[in-house]
Amino acid sequence: MPTDPLVRFSVAGQTAGWVTRSRIDRLAQFPRLFVIDADGLRFAPAFNDVVTRTDAMAEVADALASAGQLTAWRDERYAVRPEFDAPPWFYLERACARWFGVQTWAVHVNGIVHGEGVQQIWFARRSPHKSIDPDCFDTLVGGGIAECDQVAETMEREAWEEAGIRPALAHTAVLASYVQVKHYAADGLQREVIHVYDLALGRDFVPDNQDGEAVEHRRLSLDDAAALIAATGRRDMTTLDACMVTLDYLLRQRDWAIDFEAREEL
């Protein structure tokens, strides 16, 4: 966690995010938009609905981007809300999500190959040009759920864009688990719930990235997958999200045997 204390960002009396104290000082330059006091950060009274709050956050996002304080601009918004199916408090440019420490939702797909008594799992290496976790291994498919999108819709779109998986095959994926990630990085606090899908793929399946965001794919045994996500200090690093999603999958496999020392290391 950061040495810079986190300050609560509230909307309608509920926690919407967490912002570092130094960033709160930056937001003090917007007194028309925010109230900052002992209780934390909140919108000024005039910003009391989804439209006015969204406009206020867009103004701040533009200023932060101009000042070079955000990761690459995504031109895609997240719905910020207390629960996934709840009405949004406001919409926020995706590049700002961690800066404000808001709750986000995502989908990841474990691409699983069964055959001859052995399970294997596909990984994708992220492009070195990605603004977050460049050149790291990731799950075969993964992506944030943007405003107005649904879980299955996002999964099927990302499956095609990231691995060339056609909708008919993606539709067979099974929503198997949920993983919650809370992690502080240089760009801010990641608070994300991941919808985890398992997708059975044939032994002849070869991923075909469509959007340029993956530059390599590997199909690994479960033991090698465990070794990959446990590795540190090497080129073959894996994103935190993919580590958590893969670990979740491994621990759900009752027939996967691993010795005690290896399990402790993992």
Side-chain angles (χ1 to χ4, degrees):
M1 294 299 291
T3 54
D4 194 357
L6 290 171
V7 176
R8 181 174 179 251
F9 172 29
S10 62
V11 177
Q14 299 184 65
T15 299
W18 294 92
V19 185
T20 60
R21 170 53 62 183
S22 60
R23 289 177 173 176
I24 289 290
D25 293 342
R26 175 74 174 85
L27 295 175
Q29 299 174 30
F30 301 90
R32 181 178 60 86
L33 306 181
F34 298 111
V35 173
I36 300 171
D37 57 22
D39 294 325
L41 172 74
R42 62 185 184 276
F43 286 104
F47 301 91
N48 56 12
D49 59 29
V50 64
V51 173
T52 55
R53 292 174 190 141
T54 297
D55 289 346
M57 295 302 278
E59 180 180 335
V60 175
D62 286 341
L64 294 176
S66 296
Q69 295 193 23
L70 301 179
T71 56
W73 191 268
R74 306 296 291 272
D75 200 24
E76 180 179 89
R77 299 190 306 185
Y78 281 144
V80 181
R81 47 197 170 184
E83 302 290 343
F84 182 74
D85 292 324
W89 288 315
F90 57 89
Y91 297 100
L92 178 66
E93 158 61 34
R94 184 170 173 174
C96 281
R98 295 187 185 187
W99 204 95
F100 281 95
V102 299
Q103 178 73 60
T104 59
W105 288 265
V107 297
H108 279 249
V109 179
N110 293 308
I112 308 301
V113 178
H114 299 269
E116 301 176 0
V118 176
Q119 281 195 69
Q120 295 176 304
I121 185 167
W122 279 103
F123 290 87
R125 187 188 292 277
R126 296 163 65 89
S127 165
H129 304 297
K130 296 278 286 184
S131 61
I132 295 176
D133 296 326
D135 207 35
C136 289
F137 275 101
D138 206 341
T139 54
L140 179 62
V141 173
I145 302 175
E147 61 171 317
C148 303
D149 283 357
Q150 296 302 309
V151 177
E153 172 190 6
T154 300
M155 183 273 292
E156 293 184 11
R157 182 183 64 249
E158 296 290 338
W160 169 253
E161 292 178 355
E162 299 198 348
I165 299 170
R166 297 188 180 278
L169 178 55
H171 191 67
T172 67
V174 176
L175 180 57
S177 186
Y178 299 89
V179 170
Q180 184 166 358
V181 176
K182 186 179 291 185
H183 166 64
Y184 192 82
D187 56 339
L189 180 64
Q190 178 188 11
R191 298 168 56 226
E192 190 157 87
V193 173
I194 301 172
H195 297 72
V196 180
Y197 283 84
D198 296 342
L199 176 61
L201 298 168
R203 295 184 65 81
D204 59 347
F205 172 82
V206 178
D208 183 16
N209 180 254
Q210 305 293 310
D211 60 9
E213 294 189 0
V215 296
E216 177 190 349
H217 292 92
R218 288 188 191 177
R219 193 174 79 183
L220 302 178
S221 69
L222 298 191
D223 286 354
D224 288 341
L228 177 67
I229 66 173
T232 58
R234 301 188 332 202
R235 176 174 182 266
D236 288 347
M237 296 290 289
T238 308
T239 69
L240 176 63
D241 295 4
C243 286
M244 298 298 291
V245 169
T246 303
L247 179 60
D248 171 77
Y249 180 80
L250 293 174
L251 296 180
R252 288 190 278 114
Q253 307 313 300
R254 295 184 178 181
D255 58 349
W256 177 57
I258 184 172
D259 65 50
F260 178 79
E261 289 187 4
R263 183 176 292 273
E264 285 298 295
E265 180 182 4
L266 182 61

